[in-house]
Protein backbone atom coordinates (compact mmCIF):
# COMPACT_ATOMS: atom_id res chain seq x y z
CA UNK A 1 0.00 0.00 0.00
CA UNK A 2 1.50 3.33 -0.99
CA UNK A 3 0.86 6.38 1.14
CA UNK A 4 -1.71 8.46 -0.67
CA UNK A 5 -2.30 11.10 1.97
CA UNK A 6 1.11 11.43 3.64
CA UNK A 7 4.21 12.67 1.86
CA UNK A 8 6.32 11.93 4.96
CA UNK A 9 9.55 10.09 4.16
CA UNK A 10 10.08 6.57 5.50
CA UNK A 11 11.42 6.78 9.04
CA UNK A 12 10.43 10.44 9.53
CA UNK A 13 7.45 9.70 11.79
CA UNK A 14 7.95 8.54 15.38
CA UNK A 15 6.22 5.44 16.73
CA UNK A 16 4.20 7.66 19.09
CA UNK A 17 1.91 10.28 17.53
CA UNK A 18 -0.40 12.99 18.85
CA UNK A 19 -3.46 13.49 16.66
CA UNK A 20 -5.24 16.85 16.88
CA UNK A 21 -8.02 17.41 14.37
CA UNK A 22 -6.77 20.83 13.30
CA UNK A 23 -3.47 20.87 11.36
CA UNK A 24 -2.71 24.37 12.69
CA UNK A 25 -3.05 22.95 16.20
CA UNK A 26 -0.49 20.32 15.22
CA UNK A 27 1.85 23.12 14.13
CA UNK A 28 1.21 25.05 17.34
CA UNK A 29 1.96 22.02 19.52
CA UNK A 30 5.08 21.11 17.57
CA UNK A 31 6.55 24.60 17.47
CA UNK A 32 5.75 25.60 21.05
CA UNK A 33 6.18 22.32 22.98
CA UNK A 34 8.54 20.04 21.06
CA UNK A 35 12.30 20.40 20.78
CA UNK A 36 13.79 20.42 17.28
CA UNK A 37 10.44 20.16 15.45
CA UNK A 38 10.77 19.21 11.80
CA UNK A 39 7.87 19.36 9.38
CA UNK A 40 7.39 15.87 7.98
CA UNK A 41 4.03 16.14 6.21
CA UNK A 42 2.43 18.85 4.09
CA UNK A 43 0.21 16.82 1.77
CA UNK A 44 -3.22 18.53 1.58
CA UNK A 45 -1.91 20.97 4.22
CA UNK A 46 -2.46 18.26 6.83
CA UNK A 47 0.57 19.43 8.74
CA UNK A 48 2.72 16.88 10.53
CA UNK A 49 5.87 17.34 12.60
CA UNK A 50 8.40 15.19 14.41
CA UNK A 51 10.38 16.48 17.37
CA UNK A 52 11.35 15.54 20.90
CA UNK A 53 9.66 15.69 24.28
CA UNK A 54 12.17 15.22 27.11
CA UNK A 55 14.24 13.00 24.84
CA UNK A 56 11.30 11.00 23.45
CA UNK A 57 10.91 11.15 19.69
CA UNK A 58 7.30 12.04 19.01
CA UNK A 59 5.22 13.18 16.05
CA UNK A 60 2.09 15.31 15.83
CA UNK A 61 -0.23 15.21 12.82
CA UNK A 62 -3.60 16.79 12.05
CA UNK A 63 -6.36 14.37 11.12
CA UNK A 64 -9.15 16.62 9.90
CA UNK A 65 -12.62 16.19 11.32
CA UNK A 66 -14.68 13.03 11.59
CA UNK A 67 -14.03 9.31 11.54
CA UNK A 68 -13.43 8.91 7.76
CA UNK A 69 -10.67 11.54 7.62
CA UNK A 70 -9.12 10.33 10.88
CA UNK A 71 -9.04 6.72 9.72
CA UNK A 72 -7.28 7.65 6.49
CA UNK A 73 -4.40 9.15 8.47
CA UNK A 74 -4.40 6.60 11.29
CA UNK A 75 -4.38 3.68 8.83
CA UNK A 76 -1.45 5.11 6.87
CA UNK A 77 0.43 5.92 10.09
CA UNK A 78 -0.01 2.38 11.41
CA UNK A 79 0.49 0.42 8.20
CA UNK A 80 3.14 2.50 6.44
CA UNK A 81 4.94 4.30 9.25
CA UNK A 82 4.82 1.63 11.98
CA UNK A 83 3.13 3.93 14.50
CA UNK A 84 2.32 2.03 17.70
CA UNK A 85 0.83 4.63 20.06
CA UNK A 86 -1.77 7.19 18.99
CA UNK A 87 -3.31 9.81 21.22
CA UNK A 88 -6.20 11.80 19.83
CA UNK A 89 -5.98 15.28 21.24
CA UNK A 90 -9.20 17.04 20.50
CA UNK A 91 -12.07 19.16 21.61
CA UNK A 92 -15.45 17.92 22.71
CA UNK A 93 -18.90 19.23 23.42
CA UNK A 94 -19.82 18.56 27.04
CA UNK A 95 -22.94 16.58 27.90
CA UNK A 96 -22.39 16.09 31.64
CA UNK A 97 -23.67 19.18 33.49
CA UNK A 98 -20.66 19.08 35.82
CA UNK A 99 -18.21 19.81 32.97
CA UNK A 100 -17.05 23.36 32.24
CA UNK A 101 -15.16 24.97 29.34
CA UNK A 102 -11.50 23.91 29.33
CA UNK A 103 -12.08 20.77 31.44
CA UNK A 104 -10.25 17.61 30.39
CA UNK A 105 -12.13 14.44 29.45
CA UNK A 106 -10.28 11.13 29.15
CA UNK A 107 -12.27 8.65 27.05
CA UNK A 108 -12.48 5.05 28.24
CA UNK A 109 -14.67 4.00 25.31
CA UNK A 110 -16.72 5.60 22.56
CA UNK A 111 -20.18 4.94 21.19
CA UNK A 112 -21.07 6.29 17.78
CA UNK A 113 -23.83 7.04 15.27
CA UNK A 114 -21.31 6.42 12.49
CA UNK A 115 -21.77 3.33 10.32
CA UNK A 116 -18.02 2.91 9.88
CA UNK A 117 -17.37 0.34 12.61
CA UNK A 118 -20.41 -1.75 11.70
CA UNK A 119 -19.40 -1.49 8.07
CA UNK A 120 -16.00 -2.97 8.97
CA UNK A 121 -17.54 -5.68 11.22
CA UNK A 122 -20.28 -7.36 9.18
CA UNK A 123 -23.07 -5.14 10.53
CA UNK A 124 -22.30 -5.97 14.17
CA UNK A 125 -21.22 -3.67 17.01
CA UNK A 126 -17.44 -3.48 17.10
CA UNK A 127 -16.10 -2.62 20.57
CA UNK A 128 -14.50 0.83 20.61
CA UNK A 129 -12.47 0.99 23.82
CA UNK A 130 -9.38 3.01 24.55
CA UNK A 131 -6.13 1.17 25.26
CA UNK A 132 -6.07 0.58 29.01
CA UNK A 133 -2.33 1.07 29.58
CA UNK A 134 -2.06 4.24 27.49
CA UNK A 135 -5.21 5.63 29.09
CA UNK A 136 -3.84 4.85 32.57
CA UNK A 137 -0.61 6.61 31.58
CA UNK A 138 -2.62 9.72 30.63
CA UNK A 139 -4.52 9.61 33.93
CA UNK A 140 -1.20 9.32 35.79
CA UNK A 141 0.33 12.21 33.86
CA UNK A 142 -2.67 14.46 34.56
CA UNK A 143 -2.46 13.60 38.26
CA UNK A 144 1.24 14.49 38.36
CA UNK A 145 0.49 17.86 36.75
CA UNK A 146 -2.35 18.49 39.20
CA UNK A 147 -4.93 18.67 36.42
CA UNK A 148 -8.38 17.29 37.17
CA UNK A 149 -9.72 14.82 34.65
CA UNK A 150 -13.20 13.47 34.00
CA UNK A 151 -12.90 9.84 32.90
CA UNK A 152 -15.67 7.97 31.13
CA UNK A 153 -17.43 7.23 27.88
CA UNK A 154 -17.83 9.64 24.98
CA UNK A 155 -19.92 9.66 21.80
CA UNK A 156 -18.39 10.05 18.32
CA UNK A 157 -20.97 11.64 16.06
CA UNK A 158 -20.95 12.14 12.32
CA UNK A 159 -23.11 15.25 12.68
CA UNK A 160 -21.62 18.38 14.21
CA UNK A 161 -24.68 20.34 13.05
CA UNK A 162 -28.24 19.17 12.95
CA UNK A 163 -28.31 15.97 15.00
CA UNK A 164 -31.56 14.71 16.53
CA UNK A 165 -32.80 17.30 19.07
CA UNK A 166 -33.19 14.72 21.84
CA UNK A 167 -29.66 13.34 21.52
CA UNK A 168 -27.91 15.30 24.31
CA UNK A 169 -30.57 14.20 26.83
CA UNK A 170 -30.29 10.57 25.74
CA UNK A 171 -26.50 10.64 25.95
CA UNK A 172 -26.69 12.16 29.43
CA UNK A 173 -29.13 9.44 30.52
CA UNK A 174 -26.62 6.82 29.38
CA UNK A 175 -23.84 8.42 31.40
CA UNK A 176 -21.91 9.65 28.37
CA UNK A 177 -19.73 12.62 29.26
CA UNK A 178 -19.16 14.39 25.96
CA UNK A 179 -19.51 14.39 22.18
CA UNK A 180 -16.70 14.45 19.64
CA UNK A 181 -16.25 13.02 16.14
CA UNK A 182 -13.33 10.59 15.92
CA UNK A 183 -12.57 8.36 18.93
CA UNK A 184 -14.86 5.40 18.12
CA UNK A 185 -13.26 4.91 14.72
CA UNK A 186 -9.73 5.35 16.01
CA UNK A 187 -10.15 2.94 18.96
CA UNK A 188 -11.60 0.17 16.81
CA UNK A 189 -8.95 0.58 14.11
CA UNK A 190 -6.16 0.48 16.70
CA UNK A 191 -7.55 -2.73 18.22
CA UNK A 192 -7.63 -4.39 14.81
CA UNK A 193 -3.98 -3.52 14.26
CA UNK A 194 -2.91 -4.37 17.86
CA UNK A 195 -1.67 -0.85 18.54
CA UNK A 196 -2.59 1.47 21.40
CA UNK A 197 -4.96 4.42 21.03
CA UNK A 198 -6.37 6.86 23.55
CA UNK A 199 -8.30 10.13 23.44
CA UNK A 200 -7.78 13.14 25.66
CA UNK A 201 -10.36 15.83 25.01
CA UNK A 202 -10.78 19.43 26.12
CA UNK A 203 -14.29 20.81 26.52
CA UNK A 204 -14.72 23.57 23.90
CA UNK A 205 -18.47 23.99 24.17
CA UNK A 206 -21.42 22.80 26.17
CA UNK A 207 -24.27 21.11 24.35
CA UNK A 208 -26.76 21.88 27.06
CA UNK A 209 -26.10 25.53 27.94
CA UNK A 210 -24.47 26.66 24.61
CA UNK A 211 -21.24 28.17 26.04
CA UNK A 212 -18.36 27.86 23.56
CA UNK A 213 -14.63 28.58 23.02
CA UNK A 214 -13.48 31.14 20.44
CA UNK A 215 -11.28 30.10 17.48
CA UNK A 216 -8.00 31.10 19.14
CA UNK A 217 -8.89 29.29 22.36
CA UNK A 218 -9.70 26.19 20.31
CA UNK A 219 -6.22 26.33 18.82
CA UNK A 220 -4.17 27.13 21.91
CA UNK A 221 -6.46 26.02 24.75
CA UNK A 222 -5.30 22.45 24.39
CA UNK A 223 -1.76 23.04 25.64
CA UNK A 224 -2.42 21.46 29.05
CA UNK A 225 -3.84 18.38 27.34
CA UNK A 226 -0.87 18.25 24.95
CA UNK A 227 1.63 18.31 27.85
CA UNK A 228 -0.29 15.57 29.65
CA UNK A 229 -0.41 13.42 26.50
CA UNK A 230 3.32 13.93 25.87
CA UNK A 231 4.14 13.00 29.49
CA UNK A 232 2.00 9.89 29.08
CA UNK A 233 3.74 8.84 25.86
CA UNK A 234 7.07 9.24 27.67
CA UNK A 235 5.85 7.09 30.58
CA UNK A 236 4.40 4.50 28.22
CA UNK A 237 7.66 4.32 26.25
CA UNK A 238 9.52 3.76 29.54
CA UNK A 239 7.11 0.93 30.34
CA UNK A 240 5.53 2.48 33.40
CA UNK A 241 2.08 3.69 32.40
CA UNK A 242 0.06 5.10 35.23
CA UNK A 243 3.03 5.13 37.57
CA UNK A 244 3.13 8.02 39.95
CA UNK A 245 6.65 8.88 41.00
CA UNK A 246 5.45 11.66 43.32
N1 LIG B 1 -20.17 18.06 18.62
C1 LIG B 1 -19.30 17.24 18.03
N2 LIG B 1 -18.01 17.37 18.14
C2 LIG B 1 -17.54 18.38 18.88
C3 LIG B 1 -18.39 19.26 19.52
C4 LIG B 1 -19.76 19.09 19.37
O1 LIG B 1 -20.56 19.85 19.93
N3 LIG B 1 -17.61 20.16 20.16
C5 LIG B 1 -16.33 19.82 19.92
N4 LIG B 1 -16.28 18.74 19.15
Amino acid sequence: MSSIHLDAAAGSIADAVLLPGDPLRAEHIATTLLERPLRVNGERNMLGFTGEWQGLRVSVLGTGMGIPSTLIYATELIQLHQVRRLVRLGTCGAIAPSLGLGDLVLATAAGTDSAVNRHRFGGMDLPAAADLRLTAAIAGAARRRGLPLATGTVFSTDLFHGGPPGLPGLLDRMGILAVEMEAAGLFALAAEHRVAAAALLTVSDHLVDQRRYGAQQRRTGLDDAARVALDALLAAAAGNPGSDPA
Side-chain angles (χ1 to χ4, degrees), residues 91-93 157 160 179-181 204-205 207 218:
T91 56
C92 63
T157 184
F160 186 93
V179 177
E180 53 83 78
M181 301 186 73
S204 62
D205 50 88
L207 267 65
R218 287 177 89 89

Side-chain angles (χ1 to χ4, degrees), residues 25 90-94 100-103 160 179 201-206 210-214 217-218 222:
R25 204 180 301 145
T91 56
C92 63
L101 293 184
D103 285 0
F160 186 93
V179 177
L201 309 165
T202 302
V203 174
S204 62
D205 50 88
H206 211 293
Q210 313 299 328
R211 282 170 288 160
R212 62 178 59 244
Y213 260 17
Q217 281 176 304
R218 287 177 89 89
L222 277 73

